[in-house]
Amino acid sequence: MSAAADMQARFDDTPPFEAPPFAGRDMGRATDVEWPQPDMSMVSAGRYTAPTMPAAMFGDLWPLVADLAEGAGAPVDYVAIGVLATAASLIGAKRRIQPFESSPQWQEPCVLWVAPVGDPSSNKSPALDAATEPLRGIEQDKAEAHKNQLIYWQTQTERAKAERAQWQAQVKEATKVGEATPAMPLAAVEPEKPQRPRLIVQDGTPEAVVEILSGNPNGVLHLRDELAGWLTSFDRYSPGGREFWLEAYGGRRHRSDRKSNPNGPVSVSFTGVSVLGGIQPEKLSDCLLGTVDDGLVARFLWAWPEPRRYQRPQNIADMGLLETVYRRLSDLRAEMDESGAIVPDVLLLDDAAGQIFEEWIRSNDEAGTEAAGLFKGFLGKLRGMVLRLALVAELLAWAKCGGREPEAVSARTLVAVIQFIDLYAKPSALRVFGDAALPVDRRNAAQLAKLIVKNGWERVNARDLLKGGKIAKAKTAADVEAATDLLIDADWLRPAPAKIGPANGRPRKDFLVNPSVHGGSNA
């Protein structure tokens, strides 16, 4: 018998059984005996409390962000980080940020990876839809302009074919009479077909993304409804997937030499892909701890707020304003070199901001010496994240108010970003990484505790929990037993085996629920 089968049998075997004195006459009342006060921290599994997102970094856009979240029935955090990722993707290759004039070798591209965390009922998807919806209209407008480019390309292609045919006739004639072969004229070279403009990519493999980037040099937004599949599938289709995405975060150059490409190698000057997608708490462990620790997950900005209690929206969000902001960012101009690569304008921190940033780096480095695991890696990536967020925040403020485009990042913007990082990003990362590291039995016990509270259960049965698949990670009888044992230790449950059938029949493995978890008396 396998170990799993043996544990399953433990639910069915008949042990020596005596009715516990606290069970009462019908074995079903939890109030017939005194109960200790239950440990209510079991619901949260001891995870870190969700921080409140500071609003200063969003400036005058915060009321709009709040209205969008209210309309989506979601925490404001989800919409806010969705706006950040979308804005970063629109700025893309056109702008970079450099902290100090004396450090030209340190420049950060405008690329952000953000991940909202929450249960399926937390309305992550409606929130991300609200933050990204204007991209659809902007992309459609670019597609209309693309039609004219296709007409011009077709015209030039037909002309090239005619030139080539004429040149081929000349080659034949020269060969016939023994003359030198004439050189093919440049007009006979067919032009490269222009690609359709893209702002959003969904579920793209590295090969597909490279192909899209070759015709969209400013970069794109990789929008995922669920990040878990993406984070665990980098090498599923071909090797080198993780390496490509690490390049994409850095906005580096990339060359694809795959033989399957009929047009030969594809070179991309800017692999800047901002990433936006949600993830469920139950999948954090597999995604964060079940993969190579190469710093990839440390590059994410995490947001895991408490669920928002639904209230009917009081205001209609001004989607026109959000679209105006996005269009201004999309219309930013930059020079292009001879190869068609964008030459970005570089913004510096102003003098006051530079001094503040230098002091913050020292403080953050000190905190890093005391950290460990994924959080230590996260702290190590924060220098670049602060700069990237500062660039996005400065340009978002400009796009909202108009006027002259900023040439530097102000101290005011940098202070707001540092406040966001220290008061929100760091606690959110601790919450995410700490939950991912929780033992499976602790996570299962927390989920069972939530189900008990949510459904008002006064009694639970181990077999029903296993058969119903109510606990996501509980796949065996041993998993359910470990979870119930933890809740017994926390004074949530008491064994209350109930006999069914004849007197010598097998007892059901039932548990009574402490009434205090539902707000009742514990006596």
Side-chain angles (χ1 to χ4, degrees), residues 242-255 271-272:
R242 294 184 71 88
E243 289 78 4
F244 168 77
W245 286 109
L246 288 170
E247 289 180 356
Y249 184 81
R252 298 182 179 88
R253 292 180 176 272
H254 181 85
R255 179 183 173 89
T271 54

Side-chain angles (χ1 to χ4, degrees), residues 91 108 112 132 196 224 355 377 481 501:
I91 298 166
E108 293 288 339
L112 289 177
T132 59
R196 178 169 67 90
R224 305 277 308 203
Q355 183 175 351
E481 184 172 14

Side-chain angles (χ1 to χ4, degrees), residues 190-364:
E190 293 186 22
E192 192 171 325
K193 184 177 181 179
Q195 285 199 33
R196 178 169 67 90
R198 298 287 296 275
L199 298 179
I200 301 176
V201 175
Q202 293 177 289
D203 197 22
T205 63
E207 292 80 7
V209 172
V210 167
E211 187 65 28
I212 290 170
L213 289 173
S214 67
N216 293 271
N218 191 56
V220 293
L221 176 67
H222 192 202
L223 181 62
R224 305 277 308 203
D225 189 58
E226 176 57 59
L227 276 178
W230 179 69
L231 287 169
T232 56
S233 68
F234 291 132
D235 296 315
R236 183 179 302 167
Y237 305 106
S238 58
R242 294 184 71 88
E243 289 78 4
F244 168 77
W245 286 109
L246 288 170
E247 289 180 356
Y249 184 81
R252 298 182 179 88
R253 292 180 176 272
H254 181 85
R255 179 183 173 89
S256 176
D257 294 309
R258 297 198 176 277
K259 296 179 181 179
S260 58
N261 192 323
N263 299 320
V266 178
S267 294
V268 175
S269 60
F270 178 71
T271 54
V273 181
S274 289
V275 176
L276 173 61
I279 189 168
Q280 298 176 28
E282 288 74 18
K283 298 180 179 180
L284 285 173
S285 180
D286 292 340
C287 294
L288 274 61
L289 302 181
T291 57
V292 177
D293 184 11
D294 53 6
L296 189 143
V297 296
R299 288 164 164 81
F300 274 91
L301 173 63
W302 303 92
W304 187 2
E306 296 294 343
R308 178 184 184 274
R309 182 181 180 186
Y310 182 78
Q311 290 182 325
R312 182 172 58 184
Q314 300 299 310
N315 301 308
I316 299 176
D318 188 353
M319 292 298 294
L321 172 58
L322 186 62
E323 182 171 344
T324 297
V325 168
Y326 285 170
R327 285 186 180 275
R328 282 179 178 160
L329 296 177
S330 178
D331 292 340
L332 284 168
R333 294 288 176 257
E335 299 293 331
M336 303 187 76
D337 63 19
E338 295 179 355
S339 67
I342 294 174
V343 180
D345 290 351
V346 179
L347 277 70
L348 293 169
L349 299 179
D350 68 22
D351 291 341
Q355 183 175 351
I356 293 169
F357 186 53
E358 182 180 3
E359 294 172 357
W360 177 84
I361 287 177
R362 287 195 288 265
S363 173
N364 186 66

